[in-house]
Every structure is written in C-alpha cells, then in structure tokens.
Amino acid sequence: DTEVTQTPKHLVMGMTNKKSLKCEQHMGHRAMYWYKQKAKKPPELMFVYSYEKLSINESVPSRFSPECPNSSLLNLHLHALQPEDSALYLCASSQATGGRQTQYFGPGTRLLVL
Amino acid sequence: AQSVTQLGSHVSVSEGALVLLRCNYSSSVPPYLFWYVQYPNQGLQLLLKYTTGATLVKGINGFEAEFKKSETSFHLTKPSAHMSDAAEYFCAVSESPGYSTLTFGKGTMLLVSP
C-alpha cells in the first residue's frame, strides 16, 4: 500500500482565517514533505520532516506553519494567507530522506484564499 | 546543482501512436531520475524511476524510460497511446548523497486524440 491521504480535498478561507491541512501515511515512512503547486507549474518544495524533525524549510513565509505530531501525521497550519497563496498543496512521504528514495504523493488539498 | 529540462510543454498524439516525452537533466553526481504523472485535480503518481542498475526501466501503464548517461537523457516512451494517458507528466531528478530534494521539470501535457 503506497497511500498518502490528505484532508480536506478543498478549502476556501478568508485572509483572516486560521485553518489546517492534514496529511497521513501508514507506510512506516520517516520522511514527509509539503509542496505547493500553482496551476500548470511543477510542485515547489516547502518543508521536509525527517524523523519528525523539520530538516528543510525553503524560506516559506511564517503564515505557513508545519507540524509533525508523530511519524504518520503531518499538518500545515495556515494563518493570514494572501490570495496568491491559492494553490494545490501536496503532501508526500518517503522511507527516509536521501536521493534514491521515492516520494509518494497524496491527492492534494485545493486551497482558495479570498 | 541539479536541473531538469522537458522539451515541449504540450505533446499531441493520436490514439495508438507512439508516445515520446523528452527529459534531459543536469547533475554534478550520478542522478536518480523519476517520471511522475498527474491527472486533472489529482496528486502525482510515480510512473517509474531509475536509481542504479539496468538503464531501461519499465513502469506502470506500459511506460518505459531509458537512462542515457552520455546524452544526459531519460526520455519516457509508450508504444501505443490510450485516451486515458492524457495527463501532465513531470520528470524529476534527485542527487545523491544528501537530502532527497526533487527537482522537477516544468512538465509536459500529453494530449491524445481519437
């Protein structure tokens, strides 16, 4: 089973709202990732967690706050977002970090910021 | 630094025709190479990957790719296109050693006509 699940599928929020995106995997993977994908563009890496510790933060604005409560769960807390933050947010996981590891992606959360 | 170039933002084929999607990479170390497919409003699905060993890699849905070091290429092929193959295809490279930050190409949209 190579399933990564994400909730919700769709989210509409105002610029003053606080919301969270959730990602879950039960493959025993120890690395988890958040990506942002704008329309007709490739995914852009935001954060990498390795063994529940944040290991890469690609200079993402502080209005995005990741959290890894345990090895199976990854959250992305959203606060005071801007309309340009509207995008598809993808979660991925891999057994570990390292070049040869395959990343498995979830279906994404489509976010619209009004 | 690693990079990926996908030639052609759109490729159109007829159903039953050969599919060829081009990917060239740049890497300072032996690369790990991946092809992902993204159907509309979905996440990325792994088609195939090259890590080490055999340079001709077979993937799901009848796709295959050949790693050619001398040409720094990893082109994706399928002998006979189906309507269901219409999607966005991303080539990605990851260097070893180090963290598995995938560098994606810009993507190629495959259009299949009856």
Side-chain angles (χ1 to χ4, degrees):
Chain A
D1 183 12
T2 56
E3 189 178 23
V4 176
T5 59
Q6 291 187 242
T7 53
K9 286 191 187 307
H10 298 91
L11 180 62
V12 180
M13 61 186 290
M15 289 189 282
T16 58
N17 292 157
K18 286 186 180 180
K19 296 286 184 182
S20 296
L21 310 184
K22 181 178 174 181
C23 172
E24 195 164 4
Q25 56 88 13
H26 294 289
M27 296 177 278
H29 289 176
R30 302 314 299 266
M32 296 186 77
Y33 311 76
W34 279 116
Y35 288 86
K36 174 183 178 181
Q37 186 180 26
K38 301 285 274 185
K40 304 198 185 301
K41 297 286 187 184
E44 300 173 3
L45 183 65
M46 300 174 72
F47 303 103
V48 180
Y49 272 83
S50 178
Y51 289 84
E52 296 122 68
K53 298 253 187 293
L54 183 65
S55 59
I56 293 179
N57 176 342
E58 293 285 357
S59 303
V60 177
S62 60
R63 57 186 184 266
F64 295 91
S65 174
E67 178 197 20
C68 190
N70 59 56
S71 60
S72 301
L73 278 176
L74 184 66
N75 299 320
L76 186 62
H77 303 298
L78 315 173
H79 174 54
L81 294 193
Q82 303 297 309
E84 59 266 28
D85 297 321
S86 298
L88 181 68
Y89 287 84
L90 293 164
C91 174
S93 72
S94 61
Q95 277 194 316
T97 54
R100 71 187 303 152
Q101 297 295 329
T102 299
Q103 293 185 29
Y104 296 93
F105 286 80
T109 293
R110 190 161 295 282
L111 173 67
L112 178 62
V113 182
L114 300 176
Chain B
Q2 56 196 30
S3 66
V4 174
T5 302
Q6 290 183 242
L7 286 176
S9 59
H10 292 81
V11 169
S12 294
V13 299
S14 299
E15 194 172 19
L18 171 72
V19 175
L20 171 60
L21 303 183
R22 298 178 187 273
C23 173
N24 288 89
Y25 69 90
S26 171
S27 175
S28 57
V29 296
Y32 298 129
L33 295 157
F34 305 82
W35 275 102
Y36 285 90
V37 61
Q38 187 174 32
Y39 299 100
N41 299 312
Q42 294 188 27
L44 276 68
Q45 181 182 9
L46 179 72
L47 275 178
L48 49 78
K49 64 179 179 181
Y50 169 78
T51 52
T52 57
T55 56
L56 182 61
V57 181
K58 294 187 185 299
I60 62 171
N61 302 339
F63 284 94
E64 62 181 38
E66 187 170 10
F67 170 62
K68 292 188 176 180
K69 184 179 177 181
S70 60
E71 298 177 10
T72 61
S73 69
F74 191 55
H75 302 329
L76 184 70
T77 60
K78 181 174 180 178
S80 177
H82 295 155
M83 297 293 291
S84 59
D85 294 327
E88 185 90 30
Y89 291 79
F90 291 100
C91 182
V93 64
S94 182
E95 289 182 340
S96 65
Y99 287 107
S100 56
T101 54
L102 281 175
T103 298
F104 287 92
K106 292 187 176 181
T108 298
M109 175 65 73
L110 177 65
L111 306 168
V112 183
S113 57

